[in-house]
Amino acid sequence: MSADLRALFANPAAEHSACPFWFWNGDLEPDELLRQLHLMHERGVLGFVIHGREGLGIPYLSEDWFDRCRLVIEEAARLGMKVWVYDDLNWPSGYAGGRVVARDPGYVGQNLSIERHYVEGPDVLRLDFLGVARDFDRPDEVVAVGAARIAEARPKPVDPLRVHHVNAALPTDWSDTAAFEHTYAQEAPQAVAFDDGGVTWEAPAGRWCVTVARVTATDWMAVYSAFPYTDLINDGATTAFIEETHDEYYRRFEEYFGDTIIGFFVDEPGFYNNFWDRNPGSIPWTGDFAEQFAARRGYELLPLLPGLWEDLGVHSHELRADLWKTVAELLDERFFGKLARWCAAHGVSLTGHLEWEEWLFTMTRHSASPFRALAPFQVPALDRIDEATDKITEKLVSSIAHLNGRSRVLSETFALAGWKLAPAYMKRIVDYQYVRGVNWLSCHGFYYSIEGHRKYECPPSEFFQNPWWEHSGPLWTYVSRLSAVLSAGRHAAPVGVYYPIDAAWAELTPTAPGPFDGAATEPWELPERGLALQRTDLAMIRLTQTLLGTQWDVDLLDHVAVEEAKVDGELLQVGDETFRAVVVPPLQTISGPALGQLLAFAEAGGTVVFVEEPPSRAVWSDLPPSWADVRARLVALRDPGYVPWGAGRLGYVPAGVGAVSSLLAEAVSPDVVVDLGDGDTALVLVDEARRGGRKDTKLHRPSSFVRYVRRRVGHDDVYFLVNESGHELAAHVRLAAGGPVQRVEEWDPVTGERWSRAATVDAGRAVEVDLAFAPWQSYLLVLSSEGSAAPDRDVEGGVTQALNDWELEVAGRTFRGPLRSWHELGLARYSGVGRYTSRFQVAGRGRVLLDLGTVLETAQVFVNCLPLAPLAFPPYRLDVTEHVVVGDNLLEIEVANTNTNAFEEVERPSGLIGPVRVSVA
């Protein structure tokens, strides 16, 4: 085992600590800033993100602002802490608190939209153009007029489930798109001449849609401001952003760059058209976009614009794909890549996340491609600002990091969880994210102030304002050690899942799906689920979740990753990652070169599985010549199975995703096998309430609650395994090893202890170990290639006594008797700390263990007036041997709850629930 890894685990570096958003949302009194900085340091939070936030009492980027920055940066340097700089005021990043557009109104964000006019020829269509004045006195600009022929206009069918039917005659005007469906001719549109005054067009025979394409300024404004958002694909706008922000920090704090100041956080930049009610039905644009498109794609965009909105067959799918490919390139070159290059040149890193990573259509509209957008980031990041679990965001961003050789993946976490948040729940969320590839935690957030409205601005604060803050040290220690170990080496997963951003590019139109209102946080809320793209997205999410729940870890691969992959026999090499199989979700459109590479991988000995609907069309090249025959053979399979292909195989699952795991197991050896024996025969019913409007009842095999992540560190393997349920699980687990194994060790991130686990090691470089999972428990296991000094852990046991006689002092009152929740004592609205007192007897010498049972939420134990380490989350157990005496012993327990009772008027159970037991071995 690497001595470096052991040393890192024992004493994690500051850059492995949690680095919370420190919300500067008040007057920023110097003494108070320093007090809060020291509170973080005392609890083991050794990093932070300076974040100007709503409620800020001094001007952003003023000299007063930078004076406060210098104060905390200098003290952080003295204490060995690490500082990130959040690069804007509130969010989204890119507008420099309004300075970018103030410098040049031409830097305001731009969108291209169309207006439709219908004419039936032969006829003459006359249109007058009126310059519509918008913000900054910039009129709309007409850039193109085109005409697309309508092959058929038929009345829309009446929805029999519509609550109220219109009691009127059927409409007769074919141009009424509310009543008629239009099918367009599969041909290129016609360019229509225009001038500043308008259009006069002699329409040929037939029905036509004439589109007028206008460039308009964005209607989106930065949050909590009246400042319009900027043009992210305007190189000059990004230069202005850097000059107003990054250069100003560097000019003042150059000596701290690369040591104390380690990077900049960019938050949710994106194209905010088609979001809420802003610029609906539009696409991103910038002044030279048409010229850039022509230079990069080799043909003119403007004459073909109608094909982006309407289905003109081959004249639409590749055009749309080329549009988003161009947007992705410009966004990389002119914004994200430019920021990353600046950071690299100044010795720091770029981190941050995109807007709405959850869905294919939002990823496309906001960022074009997450794979291209996040590739230049030194530390790719995501956010988790809800409590939904049916997502693959962590897997998406960690996959991008793995494919680009990035060792760290950061998450902005805990926003909007509400004031009920406490360390036990926080650990569950951390485990959920870390087992999916995250290894750097940025808490959202540590509030400078919760005065007035700040208390309800994206709560909660995870800082000193919470009753449990004094007990939170073990949580931050857990995060630091886990981050350190899971950042070492490289990730290993056997399966790649195709991420069909190419299908999204080809099939997404500016109007379908319609404008996103930001309400869909879970798959069942996805709008317009009947669209082919949305069905593909939902299937990909279900596929990935199913694989993870059957212990097949995955990375997501976009078309570029597949196209550039190296085929090495039965292995597909993408960067440092090696895959033994690739699974393709149902989709209609795929990159032709990517499909060709998948077939080459199978032919060389690999495994490729297609689910439900193998692609039927390609962009950027024709379908491979053999594909029509291969596809026919696949869809002819009535049951999940394989057809031979060269030295490998092509698989097909005709319906659903549930059979994918077992089909993979026929061809590929998994890294982890979880056997619960008879405990896995019964299905578990899980009722999941969704926003009060829907409840889903799901069936799970208990083994599906176990998730894992594997990292290869030198000659060793590190496994992090998590029970994502409130059930106890007795598991026999088989773990693959990358080399000979001498021993299996369990590492405790809270205490830093390491000890040997009883395990069976076979000659095939695999180990088998029994793991007893408590609810929500995690294990950090190291398969070591060498002997170690880690001792075997003692077996617990002995005589147990229950403590039932208690005195409780809380909220200025005293209670005596058995343990009860505070809300049952008339303290339903109390948030704070209570102190319990009892006594216990020890008859003789031996090991003495204290188990508090259930604690809501944190505890500090005192035995005979001596403090022990605080307990922030289960198990609430301590070895108190060194603190007890033979005979009578005084036990005091300080318990803290959350602020939800006081702030949100939630009648949440609180206090020491127990049962409390003392065991003497």
Side-chain angles (χ1 to χ4, degrees), residues 220 272 274-277 355-356 358-359 361-362 366 385-386 391 416 514-522 525-527 691:
W220 185 258
Y272 282 85
N274 273 329
F275 190 63
W276 291 0
D277 59 349
E355 166 70 352
W356 278 101
E358 284 80 355
W359 318 117
F361 86 102
T362 54
H366 283 286
I385 60 172
D386 56 51
K391 295 183 176 182
L416 300 176
F516 182 49
D517 62 5
T521 60
E522 301 177 79
E525 298 173 301
L526 190 65
R691 295 189 179 220

Side-chain angles (χ1 to χ4, degrees), residues 35-57:
R35 185 187 77 87
Q36 293 187 16
L37 182 68
H38 282 268
L39 286 176
M40 291 186 229
H41 186 264
E42 290 165 5
R43 290 291 168 272
V45 178
L46 304 182
F48 55 87
V49 182
I50 296 174
H51 186 340
R53 193 75 172 197
E54 164 59 26
L56 178 65

Side-chain angles (χ1 to χ4, degrees), residues 898-916:
T898 72
N899 278 325
T900 191
N901 300 66
F903 291 178
E904 297 168 330
E905 297 188 352
V906 175
E907 195 164 329
R908 187 175 178 89
S910 302
L912 179 61
I913 309 301
V916 179

Side-chain angles (χ1 to χ4, degrees), residues 162-204:
R162 183 173 178 179
V163 175
H164 300 290
H165 290 273
V166 178
N167 187 16
L170 290 175
T172 57
D173 184 2
W174 64 270
S175 65
D176 181 0
T177 55
F180 280 82
E181 295 177 336
H182 291 171
T183 300
Y184 284 79
Q186 304 296 283
E187 62 189 28
Q190 295 187 20
V192 175
F194 67 97
D195 56 29
D196 291 341
V199 169
T200 300
W201 182 57
E202 295 184 3

Side-chain angles (χ1 to χ4, degrees), residues 724-796:
E724 295 186 341
S725 79
H727 302 274
E728 294 182 350
L729 304 175
H732 183 77
V733 181
R734 181 180 175 88
L735 305 172
V741 178
Q742 295 296 319
R743 62 191 294 145
V744 177
E745 294 183 5
E746 180 180 344
W747 292 11
D748 185 342
V750 175
T751 66
E753 293 178 284
R754 301 180 292 110
W755 60 89
S756 294
R757 296 275 323 193
T760 302
V761 180
D762 67 23
R765 292 184 174 179
V767 304
E768 297 185 19
V769 61
D770 291 322
L771 299 177
F773 286 97
W776 310 108
Q777 184 178 355
S778 58
Y779 283 97
L780 183 61
L781 302 181
V782 177
L783 279 53
S784 177
S785 60
E786 59 187 51
S788 170
D792 293 334
R793 195 174 202 186
D794 294 336
V795 178
E796 298 177 4

Side-chain angles (χ1 to χ4, degrees), residues 109-133:
Q110 299 182 45
N111 305 290
L112 183 74
S113 58
I114 65 168
E115 58 188 53
R116 295 175 174 84
H117 302 271
Y118 296 96
V119 61
E120 185 166 7
D123 199 354
V124 177
L125 177 68
R126 292 184 174 85
L127 300 174
D128 293 327
F129 293 165
L130 298 176
V132 182

Side-chain angles (χ1 to χ4, degrees), residues 625-644:
S626 58
W627 180 244
D629 177 62
V630 172
R631 188 179 190 280
R633 292 170 62 194
L634 290 173
V635 299
L637 296 173
R638 298 182 61 184
D639 299 312
Y642 289 104
V643 297

